[in-house]
Structure formats: C-alpha cells, structure tokens
C-alpha cells in the first residue's frame, strides 16, 4: 500500500492537529509532522503524537538538508529520542543519512527508539533514512540508496532530489522497483510531478501531498485534492496507462483536467500528466524515447502542443512509426498514440476538430464542403492545419493575414491539392465574401477581450458560420457580434473538446464523454 501522506509544517500544536484532522477527512492515511520550528517545548511534541488522528512520521529537518531547524544536532536528536520513547511514539522517524553516517552517538541514540535487529525492547517505530538534494541529482545517488539498504536499522529508504527534466522520474521509478526495502523516491520541482503521482503505480511506501495549495513543504508537492481528484489517486495501480500533454510551457493546459475527467467518466485505467519539455528536438527525442522504453510505466500516448508539433512528426518517422497522411501534409501532429504492439502513430486532431465543428454548424458532411468558400483569418500554426483540412475536402479557402508572405506560404503549400487556396488583403474582408469565417489569430483572447479581427461588424450573409478558434473567453467579441447578427457561431472550446475527444478515442478505443469535457472547460474558464 502506498500511503497518501500530508506533510504538515508544525508551528502551533492546535493548528497542526487541526491540519492533521482535515488531512484525514480528505483521505490522507499518514501525516508527517515537520517540527523543524517546533522544538522549544518537548512535551508539546509528545502531546502532538498522543493526539494525532493519523499514524505519523516525525521529522526535524536541519537547514543543511533543506529544512528549517538551525539548532544544535545533539538537542535535535535528544528531542526525537524523548518523543520516540513516549507512550505514543511515531510510526516512523525520519533521519538524514548524512547525519546518521556522521555520528556513532546519533546512531546509538536513534537505535534506542527505532525497530532494529539488536533492540532490547519491542519498538514499532520504523527508521526512514533520507537524502535530499535541492540542486539536482546527486552524483552518488545510488551509493546513498545502497548505504540505506545496508543499514540494519533502516526500514525505509527515502531519496528526494530536484529533477532537471522529466527523465529523472524514470530513475525514481527504477529505484523504487529495485530496492529490497520499502522506498520513497521523489523528484522535486515542476519536472518531478510524475514521481509524486505515480508513486502508487510503482509501489513506493508513500507520496507526500500538501493539505492545500500554498502549504507545500517541498518544491513541486501537489495538494491532496489535486492528487485525489485531478490525478485519480484512488484509481491508480500497477497497470495504469500513462498519458500526458507535451509542450513548453504546459502549466496552464486544460488537457489534464479534461482527459483525467474523461478517464474517470468511462472507467478507463489511465492517468494524464503535464509534461514540460524544452523546445529543442534533442530534448523531445531523449525524453519521449526514455519514457517509451520504461515498460512498467505503460506510457501510451500524449497530446503534443507548441513547440513540439513538428518534433513529434520527426520522432515518429525516425522510430519507423506511422503518420497520418494529412498530418504529414500539414507538417505538424498533435497526438501520439502507442499501439498495443508498441508501434507509434502520430496524427493531427486539430484540423478534424475544426472541420467537424463547422460541418455540424452547416449541417453537412465533410464531403459536402467542396466548393464552399471559407475565410481564414491568420496564417500561423492553427490556420495551417485548418487551411489544409478545408482544402483537402475541396473548399475554396481565402486567407486574410497581416503578413502577406505567411499567407502566400500557405497558398503555395495547399492550393490546388484538392480545393483552391488564395490569399487576400485583410482590408478586403467583408461579411459577404464567404459563408464560413474562422479566426485563427489571438485577437480577442483573454485578457484583450475587446479586440476582434473584424472591428467593423460586417453585413453577414444569411446562414453564415463564424468560428473563433479562441476558447478563452468562451464567447469572444467576434462571436458575440456575429451571434447578434444572426450567424451560427462556434467557440474555440468546441474545437478544443473535439480535438481532445479524437485523442481520447485513439487511446482508449472508447467514445469520449463530450459533455464531461465541455463541463470541465466551462468550469475552468469561469473560475
Ligand atoms: P501563431 O502560429 O502565433 O499565429 C498567429 C496568427 O495570428 C499569425 O498569422 C499572426 O499574424 C496573427 N496575429 C497575431 N497577432 C495579430 C494582430 N495583432 N493582428 C493581426 N493578426 C495577428 O498562433 P496559432 O498557434 O496559430 O494560434 C492562433 C489562435 O488559435 C490562438 O488564439 C489559439 O488560442 C487558437 N488555437 C485554438 C485551438 C483550439 O483547440 N481551440 C488550437 C490551436 C490554436 P502574422 O503572421 O502577421 O504574425
């Protein structure tokens, strides 16, 4: 069993007990009392242990190991000894490996209060030997693990280090899997989230959670609510399939709440994580290859966003995987799926999402787009996928972009393949030139909600469809004005939901719960 452990920085007895009670109420089964700054009153520490609503780890972390205790080490150990020999000792006592190795006197004192082969009285308290490095992976990480494993009194090995990249998590998983003793291996910082969420999948002794956002006791610690509700803690097991959104940055992506809620809704054994990878291809390749190579991780796919959409194509091509033909034509893919035989498939679900949202608005099948006139405003990444998709189905696409050269590039790439693609000056944009208008610029996006790519609301023709790829806000100024003029409007949220749904279906082989996805978007964008 992997304990969901809330770490509490103790400053006040009643406040700490209240935090422990709240931790228990929201599902923690272990607490860690960090008494780094609560060392003046020994009896208050004993009282804390006596009244604790959950089994606990007692930790007094010195400043030299990243904690807040800056007093004398002998006093610290004497306090831990006092608490450990009380009538209600902690379930675990955490002592730094460095301190333990440094001092025979400390080892002897700790030996009086923890369970070990030579003990003279029955003791339940287990010793956690721990090592923390806040600057990166220590060169002797594996030596430290071996020393902990060799120490007869050590019941639990704990290694925590600052992850330099997502790749560090793989080593944490391997350490947990290989150790002969219960192990905690956690990576700190933004890149370390997988090690914290997936600790249960790999059978670690515990993971740490903050009681609430802002109460973290280490960098990158998620809140217990995030672990339980966003990252599906209760559902995780050794077989859980892992997915993620690869981008840079990805901190505010809506994809983790959407896909995790989707997995929940259909009862799929998966979890979806943010995966920040620096822009260069070498980083993308090294990280994705290492995640794929770690068989027990069950890394089965990813959403891929800026700046990695081209990197995904290159990677899948190099690995001998299959690429959706239109993704190749577009030159960008946003979905990686790992098939059951381990082969890779890259596809682009953006263009299909836009096509289907518009076709539904027009009440036609994709094939009936032939000959329809579609105005695309903008010529960046989103426009490229959309132009390619509509042109592929025979539509006539008119690109209106501030920088003419970029529009001309799209014309050169896609004109004549099936449909017709032309470029026009933005000042020629009017309500009658096309039956479908698609904004692919950020004009109108939060926080600049007063902006619009069509500042003089045109005289839209009857039955016009106006689609804004922006999803924050859900209704942009462009859509508001188009709706007031009687147009059929489509929000970027619909495109986002549909591209996510196609990804979800390619991973799970199950229909995506669209209403759940829409609900998550509404909830997040209304906050
Ligand atoms: P991009 O590659 O940076 O392209 C942005 C385009 O907008 C460029 O053509 C740029 O013109 C134009 N533009 C930017 N600022 C402008 C301004 N002030 N006035 C006129 N034109 C301006 O961005 P992208 O990835 O294509 O994304 C564009 C939009 O699509 C974003 O709002 C994004 O939220 C949305 N999007 C939505 C989804 C979805 O699922 N709903 C998916 C992807 C993207 P220049 O060429 O002249 O620079």
């Amino acid at each position: 069993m992997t304990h969901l452990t809330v770490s509490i920085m103790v400053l006040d007895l009643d406040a700490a007990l209240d935090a422990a009670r709240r931790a228990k109420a929201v599902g923690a089964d272990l607490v860690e009392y960090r008494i780094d700054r609560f060392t003046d009153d020994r009896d208050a520490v004993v009282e804390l242990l006596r009244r604790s609503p959950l089994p606990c780890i007692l930790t007094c972390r010195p400043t030299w190991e990243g904690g807040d205790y800056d007093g004398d080490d002998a006093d610290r150990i004497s306090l831990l000894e006092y608490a450990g020999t009380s009538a209600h000792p902690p379930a675990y006592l955490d002592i730094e490996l460095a301190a333990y190795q440094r001092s025979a006197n400390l080892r002897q004192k700790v030996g009086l209060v923890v369970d070990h082969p030579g003990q003279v009285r029955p003791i339940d308290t287990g010793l956690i030997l721990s090592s923390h490095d806040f600057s990166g992976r220590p060169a002797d990480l594996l030596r430290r693990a071996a020393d902990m494993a060799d120490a007869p009194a050590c019941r639990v090995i704990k290694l925590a280090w600052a992850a330099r990249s997502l790749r560090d998590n793989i080593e944490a998983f391997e350490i947990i899997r290989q150790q002969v003793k219960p192990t905690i291996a956690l990576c700190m910082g933004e890149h370390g989230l997988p090690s914290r969420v997936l600790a249960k999948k790999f059978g670690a002794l515990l993971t740490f959670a903050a009681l609430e956002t802002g109460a973290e006791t280490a960098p990158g610690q998620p809140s217990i609510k995030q672990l339980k509700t966003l990252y599906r803690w209760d559902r995780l097991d050794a077989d859980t399939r892992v997915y993620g959104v690869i981008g840079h940055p990805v901190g505010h992506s809506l994809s983790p709440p959407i896909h995790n809620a989707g997995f929940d809704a259909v009862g799929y054994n998966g979890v979806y994580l943010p995966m920040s990878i620096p822009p260069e291809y070498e980083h993308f390749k090294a990280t994705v290859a290492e995640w794929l190579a770690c068989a027990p991780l069950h890394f089965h796919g990813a959403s891929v966003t800026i700046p990695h959409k081209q990197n995904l194509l290159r990677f899948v091509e190099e690995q001998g995987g299959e690429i959706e033909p239109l993704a190749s034509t577009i030159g960008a893919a946003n979905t990686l799926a790992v098939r059951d035989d381990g082969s890779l498939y890259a596809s682009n679900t953006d263009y299909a999402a836009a096509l289907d949202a518009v076709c539904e608005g027009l009440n036609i099948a994709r094939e009936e787009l032939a000959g329809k006139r579609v105005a695309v405003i903008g010529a960046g990444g989103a426009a490229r996928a959309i132009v390619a998709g509509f042109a592929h189905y025979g539509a006539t696409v008119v690109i209106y972009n501030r920088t003419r050269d970029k529009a001309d590039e799209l014309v050169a790439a896609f004109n004549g393949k099936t449909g017709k693609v032309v470029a026009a000056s933005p000042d020629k944009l009017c309500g009658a030139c096309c039956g479908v208008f698609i904004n692919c610029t950020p004009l109108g996006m939060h926080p600049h909600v007063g902006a619009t790519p069509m500042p003089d609301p045109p005289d839209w023709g009857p039955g016009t469809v106006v689609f804004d790829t922006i999803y924050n806000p859900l209704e942009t100024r462009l859509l508001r004005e188009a709706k007031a003029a009687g147009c059929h409007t489509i929000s970027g949220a619909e495109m986002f939901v549909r591209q996510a749904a196609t990804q979800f279906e390619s991973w799970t082989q199950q229909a995506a719960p669209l209403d759940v996805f829409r609900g998550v978007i509404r909830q997040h964008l209304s906050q």
Side-chain angles (χ1 to χ4, degrees):
M1 174 181 172
T2 301
H3 298 289
L4 185 48
T5 308
V6 165
S7 186
I8 298 167
M9 190 59 85
V10 183
L11 300 174
D12 169 271
L13 176 63
D14 289 332
L17 287 169
D18 180 56
R21 279 190 287 272
R22 285 191 288 137
K24 184 178 181 182
V26 292
D29 52 36
L30 191 68
V31 282
E32 177 190 44
Y33 294 118
R34 286 280 302 269
I35 57 166
D36 316 10
R37 287 186 272 166
F38 194 67
T39 53
D40 292 344
D41 183 350
R42 292 170 160 224
D43 291 323
V45 174
V46 169
E47 186 65 1
L48 178 65
L49 298 180
R50 188 181 75 76
R51 291 169 58 193
S52 179
L54 285 171
C56 71
I57 303 169
L58 189 63
T59 306
C60 183
R61 186 79 66 227
T63 47
W64 53 261
E65 184 88 1
D68 283 340
Y69 178 78
D70 58 2
D72 185 74
D73 220 33
D75 291 345
R76 177 172 79 107
I77 300 307
S78 159
L79 170 61
L80 295 176
E81 186 191 341
Y82 186 76
T85 49
S86 69
H88 299 276
Y92 296 97
L93 193 63
D94 180 317
I95 300 285
E96 307 71 35
L97 174 71
Y100 192 77
Q101 288 182 320
R102 208 163 36 219
S103 161
N105 182 40
L106 182 148
R107 287 197 293 279
Q108 189 257 330
K109 291 206 154 156
V110 167
L112 298 175
V113 291
V114 300
D115 173 39
H116 66 96
Q119 70 199 40
V120 289
R121 63 180 179 94
I123 304 174
D124 288 335
T125 303
L127 175 64
I128 299 174
L129 280 184
S130 65
S131 154
H132 305 79
D133 193 322
F134 291 82
S135 60
R137 179 196 181 279
D140 62 347
L141 183 72
L142 299 182
R143 173 79 256 153
R144 295 183 194 193
D147 287 350
M148 293 173 187
D150 289 345
C154 172
R155 188 187 288 174
V156 179
I157 293 166
K158 178 185 175 193
L159 296 161
W161 71 96
R164 300 149 300 175
S165 78
L166 285 172
R167 296 166 68 191
D168 277 310
N169 295 280
I170 302 292
E171 189 168 23
F173 303 146
E174 279 164 4
I175 288 172
I176 296 167
R177 277 164 41 79
Q178 284 165 13
Q179 291 306 323
V180 287
K181 293 181 175 178
T183 299
I184 305 161
L186 295 170
C187 294
M188 295 185 281
E190 178 200 0
H191 296 301
L193 183 72
S195 70
R196 297 181 178 279
V197 174
L198 302 178
K200 187 174 174 200
K201 177 175 167 62
F202 286 91
L205 178 78
L206 61 80
T207 200
F208 288 106
L211 184 54
E212 53 230 339
T213 304
E216 301 82 10
T217 55
Q221 215 172 64
S223 70
I224 188 164
K225 184 173 172 206
Q226 284 172 326
L227 279 178
K228 296 268 285 185
T229 57
L230 175 56
Y231 296 120
R232 318 191 64 232
W233 177 263
D234 295 328
R235 303 276 171 278
L236 302 181
D237 62 29
D239 298 325
T240 301
R241 292 186 169 195
V242 176
Y243 302 85
V245 52
I246 298 175
H248 190 76
V250 287
H252 291 100
S253 171
L254 286 176
S255 295
I258 283 182
H259 285 292
N260 283 318
F263 292 156
D264 246 10
V266 306
Y268 183 77
N269 190 4
V271 65
Y272 187 102
L273 303 167
M275 297 174 63
S276 175
I277 301 180
E280 298 76 21
Y281 179 65
E282 287 61 37
H283 288 292
F284 181 91
K285 180 179 178 177
T287 307
V288 177
E290 204 168 320
W291 275 51
L292 288 168
C294 178
L297 177 60
H298 304 113
F299 178 52
H300 270 265
S303 312
V304 177
T305 184
I306 293 167
H308 289 299
K309 292 186 176 187
Q310 286 82 20
N311 288 341
L312 174 60
L313 283 184
R314 184 173 160 191
F315 179 75
V316 171
E317 197 171 358
E318 282 180 13
Q319 301 292 313
E322 188 185 339
I323 294 170
E324 180 196 17
L326 202 45
S328 276
T329 309
I330 294 166
N334 72 335
T335 308
L336 170 67
V338 183
R339 292 167 165 152
D340 285 342
D341 65 0
S343 64
L344 306 182
Y345 181 65
S347 59
N348 188 315
T349 67
D350 281 335
Y351 82 83
L355 279 177
D356 292 342
V358 169
C359 286
E360 198 175 286
L362 291 168
N363 201 17
I364 59 171
R366 282 188 194 179
E367 290 65 30
E368 295 172 81
L369 283 169
K372 297 258 186 270
R373 284 180 67 85
V374 178
V376 171
I377 311 166
R384 188 178 175 88
I386 286 173
V387 169
F390 279 89
H392 181 77
Y393 283 91
T396 295
V397 183
V398 188
I399 305 170
Y400 297 91
N401 191 49
R402 183 178 61 175
T403 308
R404 181 58 182 255
D405 287 355
K406 287 212 207 153
D408 288 340
E409 275 173 34
L410 295 188
V411 171
F414 301 115
N415 182 36
K417 291 257 163 67
T418 318
K420 194 171 161 197
V421 181
V422 295
S425 168
D427 55 24
K428 296 277 186 309
L429 191 57
C430 71
C433 69
C434 293
V436 177
F437 291 80
I438 306 178
N439 175 33
C440 295
T441 77
L443 289 165
M445 188 154 74
H446 178 83
H448 306 292
V449 293
T452 167
M454 301 181 83
D456 303 318
D459 207 2
W460 309 96
T464 301
V465 170
V466 179
F467 168 27
D468 201 332
T469 59
I470 292 170
Y471 56 78
N472 186 11
L474 289 170
E475 188 175 74
T476 57
R477 177 178 159 193
L478 174 70
L479 293 189
R480 206 167 48 247
E481 291 174 352
K483 195 192 235 173
C487 302
H488 179 89
T489 58
I490 303 166
S491 160
E494 197 50 31
M495 175 176 167
F496 192 80
V497 161
R498 286 170 187 256
Q499 61 81 28
T502 311
Q503 296 180 327
F504 185 93
E505 285 161 11
S506 80
W507 300 327
T508 65
Q509 317 304 324
Q510 298 191 49
L514 289 174
D515 288 344
V516 171
F517 284 13
R518 290 186 184 114
V520 172
I521 291 211
R522 269 198 304 275
Q523 182 200 341
H524 277 77
L525 295 184
S526 61
Q527 279 172 1

